[in-house]
Amino acid sequence: MDRSIRLGMLTPSSNTVLEPMTAAMLADMPGVTAHFARIRVLAIDLGADSRAQFDLGPMLEAAGLLADAKVHAICWNGTSGAWLGLEQDRAMCAAITEATGIPAVTATMALMEALDLLGVRRLGLVTPYLGAVQQAIVARWAAAGLDCVAERHLEDPGNFSFAEHPESLVAQLVREVAAAGPEAIAIHCTNFRGAGAVSALESETGIPVLDSIAVALWGGLRAAGAETAALIYWGRLFGLPKAE
């Protein structure tokens, strides 16, 4: 690369998967580094206390600390926009950019962009979440024109516990969803061990598999103006062209 790229990642505090996985992916991209600030997130449900974890104030404070490192983009490396609504993610990104002057994206916004580039309307969904959270995601995506043709979830309230499910289980859930013939499958949780299995699962099923840790990294790189093709080993996602 002609210049160094610093990516700022806003990270759920109890997440133990996304940081090492992001570092592993970036080993293939000398000159790109990821820098992390944590937001307190302890459980995922639809209650008021859980929703409050994603309030704008803590996000802006953490984004300001990342801005001190002169990062080139800031990504909310969490998936709350999937059940709380993309409008919340968009408002957060606008506020971060207004406060810091740095482009911002989220894992869920990046997923929507990737699905659009792939022309996907029939989607499979794999998460560790509670059924009520999963239903909220499916409803949000239906309103956006996405038909969830198959889903699997684990009824886990998380957030720390999401990381304790092995990659082999995540891969099996993807295989089960693939049987319904979706146009793509989203593994949508950034504390879930799916990213390392994506390449093999895509070869096995013939279906694009979009893991949220990979999607967040892809979105952050694009927001920073960086190319992503060097990471094609980690999934078809990284070979997608830039939008016209």
Side-chain angles (χ1 to χ4, degrees), residues 166-226:
E167 182 180 283
S168 58
L169 173 59
V170 181
Q172 180 56 36
L173 297 177
V174 170
R175 292 186 184 99
E176 292 174 9
V177 167
E183 296 167 331
I185 299 169
I187 304 171
H188 206 54
C189 170
T190 63
N191 201 28
F192 212 29
R193 300 186 185 279
V198 165
S199 183
L201 286 167
E202 288 186 334
S203 295
E204 177 184 334
T205 65
I207 299 170
V209 179
L210 306 176
D211 174 83
S212 56
I213 297 174
V215 168
L217 178 56
W218 175 82
L221 287 166
R222 288 164 73 93

Side-chain angles (χ1 to χ4, degrees), residues 72-133:
H72 296 93
I74 294 174
C75 177
W76 165 227
N77 210 319
T79 54
S80 55
W83 62 89
L84 297 180
L86 277 174
E87 61 277 9
Q88 179 161 319
D89 273 12
R90 293 188 182 110
M92 177 201 311
C93 289
I96 288 171
T97 299
E98 181 178 3
T100 66
I102 298 169
V105 70
T106 74
T108 302
M109 289 171 61
L111 175 65
M112 295 298 107
E113 181 182 0
L115 293 174
D116 186 59
L117 288 171
L118 288 165
V120 171
R121 288 294 175 266
R122 301 178 68 257
L123 182 65
L125 175 62
V126 171
T127 80
Y129 299 138
L130 297 173
V133 175

